[in-house]
Amino acid sequence: TMSDILTRMLIEKGTLLADGATGTNLFNMGLMSGDAPEMWNEEHPEKIKLLYKSAVDAGSDIFLTNTFGANASRLKLHNAEDRAFELSQIAAEIGREVADTADRTVIVAGSVGPTGDIMEPIGTLSHSLAVEMFHETAAGLKAGGADIGWLETISAAEEFTAAAEGFLLADMPWVGTMSFDTAGRTMMGVTSADMGKLVSKLVNQPVAFGANCGTGASDLLRTVQGFVSTGITIPIVAKGNAGIPKYHDGHIHYDGTPELMADYAVLARNSGATIIGGCCGTMPEHLELMRQALDTRPRGAAPSLQEIVLALGPFTSESDGTDDKTPIARCKRSSRSRSK
């Protein structure tokens, strides 16, 4: 459909720059580990405004709202399970104000993260309750003025499907990304080929789909090329981390320089992604060079896997999981994976 702003901007510009990290930037502003970032929408709106504005000022065409954990299940950890709609609405309202005062068209994307629960039949979360939670968050984002919904860091096909229904109930166009962080697959075993099939069969298809977070930028581009090889025509999102996380003095530090992320952005575009951003560790200085690279470097042929490794560093696993080989090395995952 041409009715949504994302599709219109893609037709007009060809490639769009998304934003960078939410968590990394908020921690730099003083958010403490274990605190709910979503509470800052109400408690520190000026900091959330600064977060959004820093992405816009760096050249992003799209920024995500501070609502990754704004669902009843996640907020329950902070005794705020009844505030999902309200906190989502506040975050989107701040975003709307930033976008409306920008000197160009900027898309406010309402971030929707996983519930943190495992769905039936393996876990206890029912399909209907998952749909209800996703609908509540989406409705709050829409009420606050978000242009589109943006599902991210999903690992289960069942949860992706439930979110699609939630966005449909909210009558909101949406983008959906999964995190391929376990030897080329999501934590629940989904491959790039599986996701391509899943997206193409959905009744309420996303206006764009792709990968976010995961491990390094190299792995993410291999996944993007996996999407392209399925022949799917829906626009592809690449939102990779700024390098690989390293522990240093008790903090997680991402080793990707702004120059590396500029190379990643161009390689992502050449690999077939049309919406390109950063995830964990990606700061405004990364985005500035990514913007510059996308605007000034000519489009090239899709890079070989060897060219990706030479530019961005080695893959963390031998395979992307689509060859059905049992992964030898399974990547470690933090207990509370927060996109960005």
Side-chain angles (χ1 to χ4, degrees):
T1 155
M2 269 288 290
S3 59
D4 71 277
I5 188 171
L6 184 71
T7 302
R8 291 200 303 272
M9 267 187 82
L10 271 174
I11 289 166
E12 181 192 321
K13 297 187 76 169
T15 305
L16 300 179
L17 180 67
D19 62 357
T22 296
T24 311
N25 282 286
L26 291 183
F27 285 129
N28 287 351
M29 290 182 192
L31 181 74
M32 301 305 287
S33 185
D35 288 351
E38 295 74 26
M39 295 301 185
W40 273 29
N41 298 334
E42 182 180 62
E43 294 164 9
H44 299 289
E46 72 291 343
K47 290 186 177 175
I48 301 307
K49 186 176 178 179
L50 183 63
L51 169 79
Y52 298 162
K53 195 171 181 305
S54 68
V56 175
D57 290 348
S60 294
D61 299 300
I62 304 163
F63 65 84
L64 274 55
T65 56
N66 178 40
T67 47
F68 180 79
N71 61 66
S73 181
R74 290 259 184 185
L75 290 171
K76 193 174 186 177
L77 303 171
H78 307 277
N79 300 314
E81 58 267 40
D82 57 345
R83 302 194 63 200
F85 180 97
E86 177 194 5
L87 291 169
S88 299
Q89 182 175 358
I90 295 168
E93 284 170 352
I94 300 168
R96 190 72 267 152
E97 184 193 340
V98 170
D100 289 347
T101 52
D103 60 359
R104 62 184 198 283
T105 304
V106 179
I107 296 171
V108 180
S111 169
V112 178
T115 62
D117 297 328
I118 295 175
M119 291 186 67
E120 292 176 346
I122 301 166
T124 55
L125 179 62
S126 69
H127 176 77
S128 58
L129 185 56
V131 171
E132 191 182 309
M133 280 198 269
F134 285 125
H135 177 210
E136 182 181 30
T137 302
L141 290 164
K142 188 179 181 182
D147 295 302
I148 55 168
W150 189 292
L151 182 70
E152 53 177 341
T153 326
I154 300 297
S155 63
E158 295 81 4
E159 196 162 23
F160 198 87
T161 304
E165 283 188 44
F167 287 121
L168 182 63
L169 289 172
D171 190 24
M172 196 179 197
W174 66 291
V175 170
T177 62
M178 298 180 95
S179 185
F180 297 82
D181 56 5
T182 312
R185 297 170 178 250
T186 71
M187 189 173 65
M188 301 303 282
V190 179
T191 65
S192 55
D194 295 334
M195 188 183 185
K197 280 185 206 146
L198 171 68
V199 166
S200 58
K201 286 180 185 167
L202 286 174
V203 174
N204 179 31
Q205 286 192 343
V207 293
F209 83 104
N212 80 293
C213 204
T215 44
S218 300
D219 293 52
L220 190 123
L221 293 192
R222 181 169 64 179
T223 297
V224 165
Q225 292 194 358
F227 295 142
V228 172
S229 70
T230 65
I232 197 163
T233 56
I234 297 171
I236 294 169
V237 177
K239 216 166 184 285
N241 294 338
I244 304 277
K246 305 253 165 82
Y247 277 99
H248 184 67
D249 290 340
H251 294 282
I252 293 179
H253 170 75
Y254 284 82
D255 65 2
T257 62
E259 291 77 14
L260 178 121
M261 290 303 280
D263 292 342
Y264 146 80
V266 172
L267 290 169
R269 179 187 64 191
N270 293 349
S271 291
T274 50
I275 301 167
I276 298 156
C279 209
C280 302
T282 310
M283 308 297 287
E285 54 266 31
H286 293 96
L287 294 171
E288 282 173 22
L289 289 200
M290 290 164 73
R291 171 87 273 165
Q292 196 181 328
L294 289 171
D295 288 349
T296 59
R297 296 195 210 171
R299 183 181 293 273
S304 66
L305 295 183
Q306 191 180 0
E307 285 167 333
I308 290 172
V309 169
L310 284 171
L312 304 177
F315 298 117
T316 60
S317 63
E318 230 174 283
S319 157
D320 69 349
T322 56
D323 55 11
D324 288 332
K325 285 182 187 165
T326 306
I328 299 160
R330 292 183 83 78
C331 307
K332 286 184 181 171
R333 185 182 177 89
S334 65
S335 60
R336 184 177 162 86
S337 168
R338 177 162 290 283
S339 161
K340 308 172 300 301

